Amino acid sequence: MYLTTSPGPADAAAPARRAPLRLSRPVVRTFTGGRPFLPDPVEPSLAQMQADLVRPYPVEFRPELLERGERNTFLEMTQELLADLPPVQGPLDLVLVVHTVPDADPRRSPSCHLADVLPGDPLAFNLSDQGTAAGFTALRLVSEYAAADAFRRALVVLLDQRTFLYDTTGARDVPRQDCAVALLFGPEGRAGEPVTRQLAGVAPDEVRPTLEAVLNDGGAGRPVTLITGQGLDAERFGPGIDVRPAPPGLPCTGPWSALADVLPEFEGAGPRRLVVAGYDSTLRYLCTSTLDLEEGT
């Protein structure tokens, strides 16, 4: 169980410098098909739960989708993702499950499952209602918890799911594929701890100059690869910068699956800076996470 206390006195000794949480090999899985919704022996029934969940909102539950629909739940995707995860070298301190849309079947919690099956007794919870900033918020929280409580290992699981039991016509940033990404952080890893910035109130015409300032900030001559997620036009940032657009239709997992694709290219190469960026035009959040690859990593 995670326990914390109130801050110490103002004149208390500074905490010991913690080891950075480096990123080891990310893992990506995509999914097709899925199990049918019916029959549904679990109580409360999914039809009853989904009807209750959408009642406060201007959308209509469509029970006919239960008859012909299929789903890969967050829990099922997480369970399959674990099979590909590199061995965890010690107990985990933190587990974050991140998504931008609700689970089609929320009756079983992936974060609780991960807390049960992974080594250690981690603090585990879900993170949502962040729009396409969700993944960046998760990485910022990893660093903040590590700084506050000297966490040494953390796992971030990001999930996109394409199945909805209500009408999504006209909705923005709707996933078009089922996808799961795992980011494992610890003392060992190929990339340095992400430095995450989340800027609010960024107007569309401010995105390019703001992002260019991040790209030119403290790189010490390293070549830069920019991974552009939701809301960013890859063509606007070349030439002179290696730009890799994230796959479309994956508002939560897209930038991080692109990061997983990019990392093997630079294995054993010299120092490089990787910048993952995304822009939510509705919330006007511009988010970046910067990771440095060192010589030979």
Side-chain angles (χ1 to χ4, degrees):
M1 178 181 294
Y2 174 73
L3 299 175
T4 188
T5 61
S6 59
D11 58 353
R17 181 177 176 84
R18 68 174 178 86
L21 294 184
R22 302 182 64 83
L23 173 64
S24 63
R25 179 174 64 88
V27 176
V28 181
R29 287 284 296 269
T30 56
F31 302 83
T32 58
R35 293 189 302 111
F37 282 103
L38 299 177
D40 180 26
V42 180
E43 291 293 338
S45 75
L46 188 56
Q48 175 187 338
M49 175 173 282
Q50 290 286 4
D52 289 343
L53 288 173
V54 304
R55 187 169 291 118
Y57 303 100
V59 294
E60 183 179 351
F61 171 57
R62 298 177 60 188
E64 70 275 10
L65 295 179
L66 287 173
E67 300 287 342
R68 62 176 188 268
E70 56 188 16
R71 57 0 195 342
N72 293 297
T73 68
F74 286 169
L75 177 62
E76 291 164 346
M77 290 192 284
T78 298
Q79 289 173 321
E80 294 200 33
L81 191 67
L82 283 181
D84 296 335
L85 195 69
V88 181
Q89 300 301 318
L92 282 166
D93 300 299
L94 177 65
V95 172
L96 282 175
V97 176
V98 187
H99 47 94
T100 60
V101 298
D103 193 352
D105 187 350
R107 293 173 296 180
R108 299 175 66 193
S109 168
S111 56
C112 291
H113 173 75
L114 291 171
D116 286 341
V117 301
L118 290 170
D121 188 16
L123 170 65
F125 57 92
N126 284 32
L127 174 66
S128 61
D129 288 335
Q130 295 280 301
T132 56
F136 299 92
T137 301
L139 268 59
R140 177 173 58 81
L141 288 176
V142 166
S143 292
E144 290 182 0
Y145 271 106
D149 295 310
F151 285 175
R152 290 176 51 82
R153 289 182 173 84
L155 175 67
V156 175
V157 175
L158 303 111
L159 298 162
D160 273 314
Q161 187 182 77
R162 73 187 190 282
T163 304
F164 300 89
L165 294 175
Y166 47 87
D167 187 15
T168 58
T169 302
R172 296 173 56 89
D173 302 328
V174 176
R176 302 301 179 191
Q177 187 176 18
D178 294 341
C179 182
V181 176
L183 306 175
L184 182 62
F185 296 92
E188 57 286 317
R190 300 169 56 190
E193 181 173 334
V195 176
T196 300
R197 308 180 190 185
Q198 293 185 282
L199 305 175
V202 180
D205 60 354
E206 299 172 330
V207 170
R208 181 184 177 91
T210 305
L211 184 51
E212 286 180 340
V214 173
L215 296 174
N216 295 321
D217 182 18
R222 296 170 183 261
V224 175
T225 293
L226 171 64
I227 298 170
T228 54
Q230 204 83 359
L232 294 175
D233 181 358
E235 298 301 323
R236 297 176 60 198
F237 301 98
I241 296 176
D242 176 30
V243 181
R244 309 295 181 93
L250 297 173
C252 187
T253 60
W256 316 104
S257 65
L259 175 65
D261 290 340
V262 163
L263 278 173
E265 294 184 31
F266 305 119
E267 187 170 358
R272 175 171 289 270
R273 172 157 289 185
L274 306 178
V275 179
V276 185
Y279 178 62
D280 191 311
S281 59
T282 301
L283 301 175
R284 294 199 168 190
Y285 290 158
L286 176 63
C287 302
T288 63
S289 285
T290 301
L291 306 90
D292 285 335
L293 302 179
E294 304 302 336
E295 185 80 36
T297 59

